């Protein structure tokens, strides 16, 4: 993982950099944001940007978005007040790192911010066979096409292939072709010269050049506009690119991996994807099964996710009870790996006691498994009639908030995280309900 630290060389910052490097991060430092942007434009990318809490984080986020640098911002502060940390989070920082640093906290924050899951959790025979195929593909330089449903781990597979290749010491650069507007994607991939178009105030190195000597992942490549596909085809064939506004071709040495959640053959028939580009990409093919098609991985994956979220939330790692494991195995997991990730995060925050039981296993708004059981099953889980017709939105919201607070044992911070709202919003809602005469449960000694 590549970490770019912005700020002066204070002893606490230097120590934080040393700890991050000891945890395997590649650390670079810039004295200020202006220098940091020069580094990014020159192709010296980063996975996480660590900035002083005193920075204008809202403006920083806006500039990153304007220049299409998609990386999380973590704020740090030396003996900083809780108010300053909260303001940084509200301004758009992903996390806050207090200094002097704690090595375990640094590791947890960096892992969470970079979402750096680089290993597959695989015990199911079907997934083990896919991984064995990927290991055979990895040492070559041939292009790879990874297909599968959304959330099956296509980017994780791409990282797995890169890490097991001869290019493992080089950069791994990812571009989400679906997230960047068509008129900007060409510059994102191939770079541009200063003045090449309106708004091109400085030269920008593209992802092809940034990935030189390593691997370039074109995520959701099937979403790329057909007109840009022709230029991409030439880049793959010739291993050279032209910056927008440039006067000479630039040689690049990359290994290309593409991913798609679409039926590529159908996209070709519909005229949305070039057949010649498809054959250039589809030298090697990895098809990832959906999570429901590899049931042997559900419980091992859940355990891995529980450990990850326990570290990130600084709570003890607790085992799953047999009843909780049965609950997980019965789910369809339509959202694939992303769904159990959210589910296990909720379980870490909601579970009480020394183990995680079925009461802490809450699916998409508590509905996924209960819908299969019908109204009776839903009423059994909720402990009340399930019909919402005739109730106002405010009444349903109040019931959900109070119920979640009870599940969290009165811990308002955890309840707010599960509900997806700020702690301040939660407190204001509870004050409102108390004013309206609603029964708000009390929790002696519960954290808030």
């Amino acid at each position: 993982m590549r970490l770019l630290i912005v700020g002066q060389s204070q002893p606490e910052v230097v120590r934080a950099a040393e700890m991050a490097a000891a945890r395997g991060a590649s650390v670079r430092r810039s004295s200020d944001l202006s220098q940091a942007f020069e580094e990014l434009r020159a192709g010296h990318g980063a996975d996480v940007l660590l900035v002083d809490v005193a920075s204008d984080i809202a403006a920083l986020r806006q500039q990153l978005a304007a220049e299409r640098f998609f990386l999380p911002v973590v704020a740090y502060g030396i003996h900083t007040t809780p108010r300053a940390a909260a303001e940084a989070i509200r301004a758009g920082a992903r996390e806050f790192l207090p200094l002097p640093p704690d090595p375990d906290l640094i590791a947890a924050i960096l892992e969470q911010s970079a979402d750096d899951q680089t290993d597959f959790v695989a015990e199911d025979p079907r997934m083990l066979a896919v991984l064995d195929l990927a290991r055979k593909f990895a040492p070559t330089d041939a292009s790879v096409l990874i297909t599968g449903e959304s959330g099956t781990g296509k980017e994780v597979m791409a990282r797995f292939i890169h890490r097991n290749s001869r290019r493992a010491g080089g950069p791994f650069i990812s571009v989400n072709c679906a997230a960047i507007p068509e008129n900007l994607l060409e510059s994102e991939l191939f770079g541009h010269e200063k003045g090449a178009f309106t708004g091109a105030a400085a030269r920008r190195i593209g992802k092809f050049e940034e990935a030189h000597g390593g691997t370039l992942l074109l995520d959701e490549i099937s979403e790329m506009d057909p007109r840009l596909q022709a230029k991409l085809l030439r880049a793959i064939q010739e291993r050279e690119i032209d910056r927008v506004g440039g006067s000479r071709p630039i040689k690049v040495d990359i290994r290309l991996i593409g991913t798609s959640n679409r039926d590529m053959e159908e996209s070709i028939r519909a005229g949305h994807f070039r057949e010649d580009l498809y054959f250039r990409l589809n030298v090697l093919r990895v098809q990832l099964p959906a999570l429901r098609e590899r049931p042997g991985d559900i419980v091992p994956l859940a355990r891995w996710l529980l450990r990850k979220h326990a570290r990130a939330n600084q709570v003890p790692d607790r085992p799953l009870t047999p009843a909780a494991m049965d609950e997980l195995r019965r789910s369809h997991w339509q959202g694939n790996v992303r769904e159990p990730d959210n589910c296990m995060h909720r379980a870490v925050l909601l579970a009480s006691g020394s183990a995680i039981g079925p009461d802490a296993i809450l699916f998409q708004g508590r509905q996924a498994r209960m819908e299969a059981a019908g109204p009776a099953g839903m009423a059994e889980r909720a402990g009340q009639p399930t019909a919402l017709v005739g109730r106002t939105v405010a009444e349903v919201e109040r019931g959900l908030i109070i119920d979640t607070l009870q599940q969290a044992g009165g811990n308002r911070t955890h309840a707010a995280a599960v509900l997806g709202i700020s702690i301040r919003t939660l407190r204001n809602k509870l004050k409102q309900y108390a004013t309206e005469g609603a029964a708000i449960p009390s929790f002696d000694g519960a954290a808030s």
Side-chain angles (χ1 to χ4, degrees), residues 110-224:
L110 294 181
E111 179 181 354
Q112 187 75 7
S113 298
D115 196 21
D116 190 24
Q117 182 182 345
T118 56
D119 282 309
F120 265 100
V121 176
E123 294 185 16
D124 189 273
R126 182 166 182 179
M127 194 64 225
L128 289 173
V130 173
L131 282 178
D132 185 57
L133 182 65
R135 287 191 185 93
K136 293 176 180 177
F137 289 169
T140 76
D141 269 349
S143 298
V144 182
L145 181 62
I146 304 172
T147 55
E149 294 180 9
S150 179
T152 49
K154 294 186 289 295
E155 181 169 351
V156 179
M157 173 57 76
R159 292 180 182 274
F160 176 87
I161 292 172
H162 170 72
R163 197 176 64 255
N164 287 277
S165 74
R166 293 191 295 265
R167 297 174 176 267
F172 177 91
I173 305 299
S174 174
V175 182
N176 188 333
C177 299
I180 302 173
E182 172 195 341
N183 62 324
L184 300 177
L185 184 55
E186 182 178 4
S187 170
E188 185 74 13
L189 292 175
F190 305 115
H192 63 254
E193 298 292 346
K194 181 178 180 180
F197 50 83
T198 302
R203 189 177 76 167
R204 167 78 180 269
I205 298 299
K207 298 303 184 184
F208 267 86
E209 288 182 80
E210 191 176 337
H212 184 79
T215 302
L216 176 62
L217 168 64
L218 298 183
D219 199 16
E220 302 303 345
I221 193 173
S222 53
E223 306 305 308
M224 183 181 292

Side-chain angles (χ1 to χ4, degrees), residues 299-328:
V299 170
L301 176 64
R303 288 176 174 142
W304 188 93
L305 292 168
L306 285 173
R307 288 193 295 271
K308 182 184 83 166
H309 290 301
R311 289 197 306 270
N313 288 277
Q314 297 183 284
V315 297
D317 182 22
R318 289 165 288 179
L320 289 162
T321 66
M325 294 184 213
D326 290 340
E327 188 92 349
L328 295 172

Side-chain angles (χ1 to χ4, degrees), residues 235-291:
I236 297 173
Q237 290 174 333
E238 305 298 330
R239 287 296 191 264
E240 65 179 28
I241 56 102
D242 295 295
R243 291 192 196 127
V244 178
S247 58
R248 60 181 179 84
I250 299 167
K251 288 290 184 181
V252 290
D253 173 25
I254 63 161
R255 200 257 182 94
L256 189 68
I257 299 178
T259 74
S260 177
N261 59 11
R262 293 185 180 273
D263 183 329
M264 296 293 286
E265 288 79 6
E266 178 58 34
S267 294
I268 292 169
R269 287 192 292 269
H272 298 151
F273 201 81
R274 293 178 60 113
E275 186 175 32
D276 48 3
L277 177 57
Y278 171 71
F279 287 125
R280 280 287 176 180
L281 286 171
N282 196 30
V283 178
L284 303 173
R285 179 76 166 265
V286 176
Q287 172 70 36
L288 291 182
L291 183 57

Side-chain angles (χ1 to χ4, degrees), residues 346 397 400-402 404-405 412 414-421 426:
R346 288 192 291 267
E397 178 190 68
L400 176 62
I401 287 176
I402 292 176
T404 302
L405 185 63
R412 296 184 181 186
H414 287 177
V418 173
L419 290 164
I421 60 177
L426 177 60

Side-chain angles (χ1 to χ4, degrees), residues 382-402:
Q384 58 187 13
T386 60
L388 300 179
V389 177
R391 298 177 64 190
T392 66
V393 172
E395 289 172 336
V396 174
E397 178 190 68
R398 181 173 63 188
L400 176 62
I401 287 176
I402 292 176

Side-chain angles (χ1 to χ4, degrees), residues 1-23:
M1 190 199 68
R2 301 168 300 169
L3 174 65
L4 179 56
I5 302 178
V6 183
Q8 300 301 316
S9 299
Q10 296 161 292
E12 294 87 350
V13 177
V14 172
R15 181 60 180 146
E18 292 171 348
M19 288 182 178
R23 295 295 176 121

